[in-house]
Amino acid sequence: MDPILVKMLAAAVLGFAISAALGKVLIPALRRLKAGQSIKEDGPTWHMAKQGTPTMGGLMFIAATVIAVLVLNARSIFVEGDWTCLFVLLFALVFGLIGFLDDYAKVKKKENTGLTASQKFLLQLAAAILFIVLLRKFGILSPNLYVPFFGVEWKLPWVVYMIFAALVITGCVNAVNITDGIDGLAAGVTLPVCAFFAASFAYAYLNWNRPGSAAMTVFSAALFGGLVGFLVYNFHPAKVFMGDTGSLFLGGAVCGMAFALDLPLILVLVGIIYIVETLSDIIQVTYFKATHGKRIFRMAPLHHHLEMGGWSEAKLVFVFTGITLVCCVLAFFGAAGRFPAM
C-alpha cells in the first residue's frame, strides 16, 4: 500500500479515537457547566424534549482534527514548509471560534440567539477574504474556475474571483449551519464529503504530485474520523449537539478543502444537501412574505418539512447521507480531470 494511503488510514483512526475518547470527558463537563442547547419555540414541538442537551460538542472533532493533523503532518508543515494544510486548518478554526462565541452568547443568555447576523457575516467575510488572499499569494489557488466534467476553465479577473469566493464561502458555511437541525444530520452528510476530498487529494498527489495534496489527504481523513467519533454521541437520540462551534468549523473545513483543491465549483455537487436545505429556507421565507402568511413547506428547512410528514430523524440522516454519497462518487469522476496522470 502506498505510504500516503497508510497515512490517510492512520489519520482517520486517530481522529476517531481522539474524538470518541474526548466525548467521555467533554459531555459530562458541558453538563456541569450547564452549557445546554436552547430550542427554538417555532420549531417542531417534539424538539422541545431536547432542551438542555449539551451543546458545543463540535469541540470533539475539532480537537481530534487539530491533534491528528499536527501529529501526522508535523514534518510537511514545519520542516518542508507545506502551508496548505495549516492555512485550511486555521481557516476552519477561525470559523469554529466565531461559532464558539455565538454558542457562548446563547448559553449565557439562555436563548437561541447569540451573535447578530451582521456580526457573524462580517467576521466570516473577513476570514474568507484573508484565506483566499493567502492561498493566492502562496500559489495554491488560481483565479480560474475549473468546470468539472467539461474540462474547461473560466478565466476571471482577480477582483471578480475574490467576490465570487467570498460569497461562496459565507454561503456554504451558513448552509452547513442550517443543515445542523436534527440529530446526526450535519455530521452524517459531511462524512462522504470528507471521504471525497480525501480521495481527491490522494488522487491529485499520486497522479499529478500537486503540492499540498499529501497533507490535505491527512486533514480530510482526520476530520472524517473525528466526525465518526462524534456521531457515537450525536446520532439519535443525541447526547450532545455540535453547536455553531462545530457547524461553522465544518463549513469552513469543507470550503477550505474545496479551494485548496482549486475546485470550488465541486461544492455544487458534494454540497447538494447543504444547498437544498438552504434553498428551502429561502423559498419559504420569500413566499411567506410575498403571500402574507402562506407557506410552501410545512416547516423550513427541508428536514423539518419531512419530519412533519412522518420521517424519523434516523431515516432523514440515512437518506440525506446516501444522496450525498452518490453525488460525491459522481463528483470524484468530475474532479479527476483536473489532475490528469503524469
Side-chain angles (χ1 to χ4, degrees):
M1 184 181 292
D2 192 278
I4 190 61
L5 301 181
V6 174
K7 213 171 183 181
M8 181 171 68
L9 180 60
V13 172
L14 185 59
F16 167 78
I18 295 171
S19 184
L22 279 176
K24 295 287 186 181
V25 178
L26 182 63
I27 296 173
L30 291 172
R31 288 201 187 100
R32 287 194 297 271
L33 293 171
K34 301 188 186 310
Q37 177 73 45
S38 297
I39 305 298
K40 289 183 179 180
E41 294 182 0
D42 59 351
T45 55
W46 55 91
H47 278 209
M48 294 307 294
K50 303 180 182 185
Q51 185 87 11
T53 301
T55 188
M56 293 188 280
L59 290 169
M60 293 161 54
F61 57 77
I62 292 174
T65 303
V66 171
I67 294 170
V69 165
L70 293 181
V71 168
L72 295 171
N73 279 345
R75 178 176 176 80
S76 63
I77 294 173
F78 301 112
V79 178
E80 299 170 4
D82 183 354
W83 301 110
T84 306
C85 180
L86 188 60
F87 288 155
V88 174
L89 180 61
L90 291 175
F91 177 65
L93 284 173
V94 168
F95 277 93
L97 178 60
I98 295 170
F100 178 81
L101 294 174
D102 195 34
D103 283 333
Y104 179 79
K106 291 176 185 176
V107 169
K108 190 174 182 180
K109 293 190 293 184
K110 302 298 181 184
E111 297 175 2
N112 198 42
T113 53
L115 298 176
T116 65
S118 59
Q119 287 173 330
K120 284 192 284 188
F121 177 74
L122 289 174
L123 288 170
Q124 292 172 3
L125 187 63
I129 291 172
L130 178 60
F131 177 65
I132 295 301
V133 168
L134 282 173
L135 291 190
R136 183 74 176 109
K137 180 178 176 61
F138 282 80
I140 301 166
L141 184 68
S142 71
N144 303 324
L145 285 178
Y146 179 82
V147 185
F149 299 105
F150 293 94
V152 297
E153 285 187 324
W154 293 337
K155 295 184 178 181
L156 301 177
W158 179 236
V159 174
V160 175
Y161 187 93
M162 282 290 297
I163 295 171
F164 160 80
L167 291 176
V168 167
I169 290 171
T170 53
C172 180
V173 168
N174 287 292
V176 176
N177 182 245
I178 288 172
T179 304
D180 182 36
I182 62 173
D183 299 354
L185 184 58
V189 165
T190 308
L191 279 178
V193 177
C194 290
F196 160 78
F197 280 114
S200 295
F201 280 117
Y203 183 88
Y205 173 75
L206 293 171
N207 290 282
W208 201 61
N209 198 25
R210 176 176 166 79
S213 293
M216 283 304 302
T217 300
V218 170
F219 176 92
S220 308
L223 181 55
F224 178 94
L227 286 173
V228 175
F230 173 71
L231 276 169
V232 171
Y233 307 98
N234 182 242
F235 195 75
H236 185 73
K239 298 179 181 67
V240 68
F241 298 141
M242 69 171 64
D244 284 0
T245 304
S247 62
L248 294 189
F249 175 88
L250 274 189
V254 169
C255 290
M257 290 186 287
F259 280 92
L261 194 61
D262 204 8
L263 263 177
L265 288 181
I266 207 68
L267 288 170
V268 175
L269 197 51
V270 302
I272 187 67
I273 293 298
Y274 308 143
I275 294 170
V276 170
E277 288 272 75
T278 304
L279 285 177
S280 68
D281 214 25
I282 294 171
I283 292 169
Q284 182 85 325
V285 172
T286 303
Y287 188 76
F288 184 86
K289 290 180 178 179
T291 59
H292 305 288
K294 293 183 179 179
R295 293 176 171 84
I296 291 179
F297 302 101
R298 303 181 188 95
M299 185 179 290
L302 181 62
H303 58 256
H304 286 330
H305 170 77
L306 295 173
E307 268 192 289
M308 297 188 76
W311 285 41
S312 68
E313 293 189 49
K315 180 179 178 180
L316 275 164
V317 172
F318 283 123
V319 172
F320 280 24
T321 301
I323 292 171
T324 304
L325 177 60
V326 172
C327 288
C328 284
V329 171
L330 293 174
F332 179 79
F333 293 103
R338 184 75 168 113
F339 308 107
M342 294 180 67

